Amino acid sequence: MSIALGLLIIRLVVGLSFVGHGAQKLFGWFGGYGPKGTGGWMESIGIKPGVAMAVIAGLMEFVGGLLFAAGLGTVVAALLIAMTMIVSIVKVHGKNGYWATAGGYEYNLLLLAIAVAVAVMGAGTYSIDALLN
């Protein structure tokens, strides 16, 4: 039971955090810049077309986060989260080294590892995946 509860806490915190990040990109909520503002920034770092890529990234984070938190289609949810973190590492944080305090990829790698680990372990007893099996 303690592993199942631990997985639930991890899925909720990580998943809902991704929902928030996706909402920033898609809707401008929680201090975000919406598709146009995020798209402009994405274009400035070479990700084009910026607005379309902002919407795609926002959808991956929002939908992936919802699925991850619910424990529904956990492997797909983890893949969506992992892909956004890989792009973030490659395009934004990788050049700054490891440590987050220097703008590095430490935090992104942590989230990537969590997503992969949960996909490998499964969502746990307290998940929609468990109810469906």
Side-chain angles (χ1 to χ4, degrees):
M1 180 163 141
S2 62
I3 291 174
L5 183 58
L7 282 167
L8 175 64
I9 293 167
I10 289 168
R11 287 192 352 264
L12 287 174
V13 171
V14 172
L16 294 176
S17 293
F18 272 93
V19 169
H21 278 282
Q24 288 176 319
K25 291 174 182 68
L26 293 172
F27 314 118
W29 296 352
F30 312 117
Y33 299 103
K36 190 171 182 176
T38 304
W41 173 77
M42 285 185 158
E43 292 234 355
S44 77
I45 62 167
I47 300 175
K48 297 179 182 183
V51 172
M53 295 307 287
V55 170
I56 290 168
L59 284 170
M60 290 174 69
E61 291 175 345
F62 193 84
V63 173
L66 281 175
L67 293 172
F68 198 77
L72 175 61
T74 304
V75 172
V76 172
L79 181 62
L80 293 171
I81 289 170
M83 289 189 309
T84 63
M85 291 300 92
I86 290 167
V87 171
S88 182
I89 290 168
V90 171
K91 295 298 284 183
V92 181
H93 299 283
K95 66 182 178 283
N96 299 322
Y98 180 72
W99 299 110
T101 52
Y105 62 91
E106 171 189 11
Y107 181 66
N108 307 96
L109 183 61
L110 175 67
L111 292 170
L112 174 61
I114 290 168
V116 171
V118 171
V120 169
M121 291 172 43
T125 305
Y126 305 126
S127 67
I128 295 176
D129 285 347
L131 291 174
L132 296 175
N133 287 327

